[in-house]
């Protein structure tokens, strides 16, 4: 038998077996319909306009690919039925669309149509947005109506007062940096009310306590959040700044288990997004879990993959290399600033402090939020402690307060970074720089140390920080003054007698 004849008979055998198969299989009817992924093609179309006039060059995305509007402000994007939203990157020069304070830059996609049309109407700003301000509210994290009462009676009035302290025409927006609630999704309504009362639009970030813990994988863990706030990753623009929000909370499918990780879907989307941003531009990137902190170093432990930092952060840093970047994060309930090359990360003290148990976080940072003032590509910032004037940026402790240093005075300069200068005076005489050491804040120790404190949440413990400073005064010293100068030349002083 020749090779060709054997091949012919083998093919005939396959064909014969196919002929005996049920017609359903031959017609490729699926054996299992439930849970099938619908990959049918859809076309997203529409116009981005202001008073009917098209706006060219606006990014439009389905969360997978990005297109730009044409000269008429029109877009057409080939997508598929897995897409959940169509949304825009609001361009500079336009007001942020909002609904009761929640940024409304997206449209949910209704299934069943081959062509889905959505227009976006934007309002042109009357003032130059090169100068603007934004605030970062990390971890409001409300578990109960009592927590809501504290947010409404303390945090909301503080933010309202801050907004009023700026000239009326100042452009201010907020970033809710994750853990907007603490697993109690009915409290999203209270968070939204707080945002509405603030009087400024908020863009929101998903945190680990904003996830659906009953989801079987990460893909379904943001379903409730999306219904409340829209996409979990997106971008927008104001003035010369390009803002990006990412979801770095990766749910591993077991209750309350997650790691810090940015999915490939987001990274490929971000690659497209950054392709439209000029190298050298300033980017503000917000996510919940910090990409990195000094916590492991302070504790004398090696870095580990887990829920404290982002496992694939180095891949993110490579993508951000052409830009000047400020990363905004929360999650840790301590304040921590680090800077390396083109990147600075601001890991914020929290709105809720130590989970609404006391006035300070575990590192002694007062409950509060970050305030950032933008002028062109320059950004200046300070930490606003709830209920305290903006000039309060440090706390001094007399001798004996720090058990490990009984002969020294200590100062906690909570928003310190490596470009601050911290000096001390004894009875009006400058003694020089204070000694910078990793330590615990003594008030946090008093409030939270031990298995019985605090009563409300006994898991809270004081945490080591990088912003404690020490000096040893003379035995007969009568007055000690600490002067802290930030990188912008602002001077903050506190005195004890």
């Amino acid at each position: 038998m020749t090779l060709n004849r054997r091949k012919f008979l083998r093919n005939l055998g396959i064909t014969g077996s196919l002929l005996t198969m049920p017609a359903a299989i031959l017609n490729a009817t699926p054996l299992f319909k439930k849970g099938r992924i619908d990959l049918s093609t859809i076309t997203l179309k529409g116009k981005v306009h202001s008073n009917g006039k098209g706006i060219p060059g606006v990014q439009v995305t389905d969360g997978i690919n990005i297109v730009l509007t044409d000269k008429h402000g029109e877009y057409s994007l080939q997508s598929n039925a897995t897409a959940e939203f169509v949304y825009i990157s609001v361009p500079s020069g336009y007001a942020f669309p909002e609904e009761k304070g929640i940024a409304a830059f997206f449209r949910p996609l209704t299934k069943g149509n081959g062509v889905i049309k959505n227009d976006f109407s934007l309002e042109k700003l009357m003032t130059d947005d090169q100068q603007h301000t934004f605030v970062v509210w990390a971890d409001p994290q409300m578990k109960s109506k009592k927590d809501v009462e504290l947010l409404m009676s303390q945090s909301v009035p503080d933010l309202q007062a801050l907004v009023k302290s700026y000239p009326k025409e100042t452009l201010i927006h907020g970033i809710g940096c994750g853990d907007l609630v603490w697993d109690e999704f009915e409290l999203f309504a209270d968070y939204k009310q707080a945002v509405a009362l603030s009087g400024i639009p908020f863009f929101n970030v998903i945190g680990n306590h904003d996830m659906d813990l009953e989801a079987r994988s990460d893909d379904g863990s943001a379903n409730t959040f999306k219904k409340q706030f829209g996409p979990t990753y997106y971008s927008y623009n104001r003035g010369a700044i390009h803002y990006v929000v990412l979801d770095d909370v990766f749910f591993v499918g077991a209750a309350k288990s997650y790691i810090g990780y940015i999915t490939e879907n987001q990274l490929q989307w971000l690659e497209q997004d950054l392709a439209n941003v000029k190298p050298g531009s300033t980017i503000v990137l917000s996510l919940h879990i910090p990409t990195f902190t000094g916590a492991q170093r302070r504790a004398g432990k090696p870095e580990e993959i887990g829920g404290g930092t982002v496992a694939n952060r180095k891949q993110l840093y490579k993508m951000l290399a052409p830009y000047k970047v400020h990363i905004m994060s929360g999650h840790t309930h301590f304040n921590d600033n680090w800077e390396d090359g083109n990147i600075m990360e601001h890991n914020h003290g929290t709105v809720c402090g130590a989970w609404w148990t006391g006035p300070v976080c575990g590192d002694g940072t007062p409950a509060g939020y970050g305030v950032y003032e933008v002028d062109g590509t320059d950004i200046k910032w300070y930490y606003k402690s709830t209920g305290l004037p903006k000039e309060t940026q440090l706390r001094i402790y007399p001798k004996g307060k720090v058990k490990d240093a009984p002969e020294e005075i200590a100062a906690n300069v909570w928003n310190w970074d490596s470009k601050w200068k911290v000096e001390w005076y004894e009875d009006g005489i400058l003694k020089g720089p204070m000694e910078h050491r990793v330590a615990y804040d003594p008030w946090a120790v008093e409030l939270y140390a031990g298995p019985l404190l605090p009563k409300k949440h006994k898991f809270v413990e004081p945490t080591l920080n990088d912003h404690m400073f020490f000096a040893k005064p003379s035995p007969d010293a009568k007055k000690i003054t600490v002067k802290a100068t930030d990188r912008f030349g602002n001077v903050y002083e506190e005195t004890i007698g």
Side-chain angles (χ1 to χ4, degrees):
M1 185 183 293
T2 66
L3 181 62
N4 286 340
R5 178 172 170 76
R6 284 197 302 268
K7 185 175 180 182
F8 170 78
L9 291 175
R10 184 168 67 246
N11 289 342
L12 181 62
I14 293 172
T15 304
S17 64
L18 287 174
L19 291 174
T20 63
M21 289 183 179
I25 295 178
L26 290 176
N27 291 330
T29 300
L31 296 176
F32 184 67
K33 291 185 179 181
K34 185 179 179 182
R36 287 185 70 228
I37 297 174
D38 184 357
L39 294 176
S40 57
T41 302
I42 59 175
T43 300
L44 307 178
K45 285 187 173 183
K47 184 176 183 178
V48 182
H49 65 92
S50 181
N51 292 322
K53 184 178 180 181
I55 307 172
V58 178
Q59 285 190 185
V60 183
T61 183
D62 57 356
I64 305 167
N65 292 313
I66 295 173
V67 295
L68 300 178
T69 56
D70 64 18
K71 63 182 180 180
H72 304 294
E74 296 177 348
Y75 70 90
S76 179
L77 173 60
Q78 293 302 307
S79 185
N80 67 67
T82 64
E84 298 174 85
F85 301 94
V86 59
Y87 50 105
I88 64 171
S89 183
V90 180
S92 298
Y94 292 88
F96 298 135
E98 61 173 285
E99 186 175 334
K100 296 181 180 179
I102 301 299
F105 55 92
F106 58 91
R107 302 282 187 274
L109 294 177
T110 54
K111 308 302 186 203
N113 296 319
V115 178
I116 303 175
K117 192 174 186 298
N118 281 289
D119 293 344
F120 294 86
S121 177
L122 299 177
E123 180 185 342
K124 198 160 183 62
L125 290 169
M126 302 304 292
T127 56
D128 184 3
D129 61 358
Q130 291 290 315
Q131 290 185 321
H132 63 274
T133 297
F134 66 94
V135 301
V136 178
W137 257 23
D139 302 70
Q141 202 158 339
M142 299 164 290
K143 186 74 171 173
S144 66
K145 283 294 184 178
K146 288 186 178 180
D147 294 346
V148 172
E149 289 172 11
L150 291 171
L151 181 81
M152 294 298 186
S153 64
Q154 298 175 12
S155 307
V156 170
D158 195 275
L159 181 55
Q160 288 173 326
L162 177 97
V163 171
K164 288 180 182 177
S165 72
Y166 285 88
K168 189 176 181 180
E169 67 276 7
T170 305
L171 297 169
I172 307 177
H173 75 278
I175 298 171
C177 214
D179 282 2
L180 311 180
V181 298
W182 187 354
D183 302 331
E184 307 298 331
F185 291 161
E186 68 272 14
L187 300 182
F188 276 141
D190 297 282
Y191 171 78
K192 286 183 170 183
Q193 184 185 359
V195 164
L197 289 169
S198 76
I200 60 175
F202 261 73
F203 292 86
N204 296 287
V205 180
I206 189 171
N208 52 291
H209 287 293
D210 304 317
M211 297 191 305
D212 293 283
L213 299 178
E214 300 303 316
R216 68 182 186 184
S217 69
D218 182 65
D219 288 347
S221 65
N223 287 345
T224 300
F225 181 92
K226 289 174 183 176
K227 289 175 184 176
Q228 298 285 338
F229 305 104
T232 59
Y233 58 95
Y234 52 92
S235 67
Y236 59 97
N237 303 275
R238 175 143 280 182
I241 309 298
H242 184 65
Y243 292 84
V244 176
V245 169
L246 294 178
D247 168 9
D248 66 348
V249 183
F250 189 90
F251 181 59
V252 298
K256 299 187 180 182
S257 296
Y258 58 90
I259 61 171
Y261 179 79
I262 302 171
T263 60
E264 177 61 25
N265 285 353
Q266 291 183 78
L267 293 177
Q268 68 84 27
W269 173 88
L270 180 61
E271 209 163 29
Q272 297 174 70
D273 178 79
L274 295 179
N276 295 312
V277 181
K278 184 180 177 181
S281 299
T282 300
I283 290 175
V284 172
L285 170 65
S286 299
L287 31 66
H288 179 61
I289 296 175
T291 65
F292 184 69
T293 73
Q296 295 298 101
R297 167 183 52 80
R298 291 191 288 271
K301 297 178 180 179
E303 276 300 311
E304 58 184 20
I305 293 175
T309 57
V310 175
N312 56 340
R313 61 180 176 270
K314 290 184 179 178
Q315 309 306 320
L316 176 65
Y317 298 162
K318 286 179 183 177
M319 297 174 67
L320 298 172
Y323 309 97
K324 182 179 179 182
V325 182
H326 289 271
I327 298 175
M328 307 290 155
S329 57
H331 185 58
T332 62
H333 295 251
F334 58 66
N335 211 66
D336 193 38
N337 296 307
W338 64 267
E339 190 172 13
D340 185 13
N342 67 311
I343 295 177
M344 184 170 189
E345 180 156 9
H346 310 261
N347 183 216
H348 296 80
T350 55
V351 172
C352 71
W355 296 268
W356 300 109
T357 62
V360 297
C361 301
D363 66 338
T365 299
Y369 51 97
V371 182
Y372 297 81
E373 299 172 337
V374 181
D375 185 0
T377 59
D378 294 327
I379 303 178
K380 295 181 179 179
W381 58 87
Y382 60 92
Y383 186 85
K384 177 63 180 71
S385 302
T386 303
L388 297 174
K390 62 179 286 189
E391 293 77 19
T392 302
Q393 295 291 327
L394 67 148
R395 186 187 309 115
I396 308 177
Y397 295 100
K399 287 195 299 184
K401 275 291 185 180
V402 179
K403 292 182 180 180
D404 294 338
E407 299 301 313
E408 296 176 290
I409 59 108
N412 189 338
V413 187
W414 43 79
N415 209 30
W416 174 88
D417 62 59
S418 61
K419 293 184 180 176
W420 283 58
K421 182 169 64 174
V422 183
E423 305 165 293
W424 70 292
Y425 294 76
E426 181 178 287
D427 296 326
I429 299 172
L430 177 62
K431 305 296 287 186
M434 297 183 75
E435 183 181 346
H436 178 215
R437 297 206 297 263
V438 172
Y440 290 102
D441 176 89
W443 193 13
V445 171
E446 182 181 314
L447 290 170
Y448 309 134
L452 301 179
L453 294 174
K455 290 183 179 179
K456 184 175 180 177
H457 297 305
K458 292 182 173 59
F459 66 85
V460 177
E461 288 293 331
T463 54
L464 288 167
N465 72 69
D466 271 332
H467 38 77
M468 294 294 294
F469 294 83
F470 295 84
K472 188 175 182 181
S474 305
D476 56 350
K478 294 180 176 61
K479 186 175 75 172
I480 301 294
T481 297
V482 175
K483 183 171 78 171
T485 307
D486 70 14
R487 61 167 61 207
F488 310 114
N490 299 309
V491 179
Y492 308 101
E493 287 190 11
E494 296 289 341
T495 298
I496 55 173

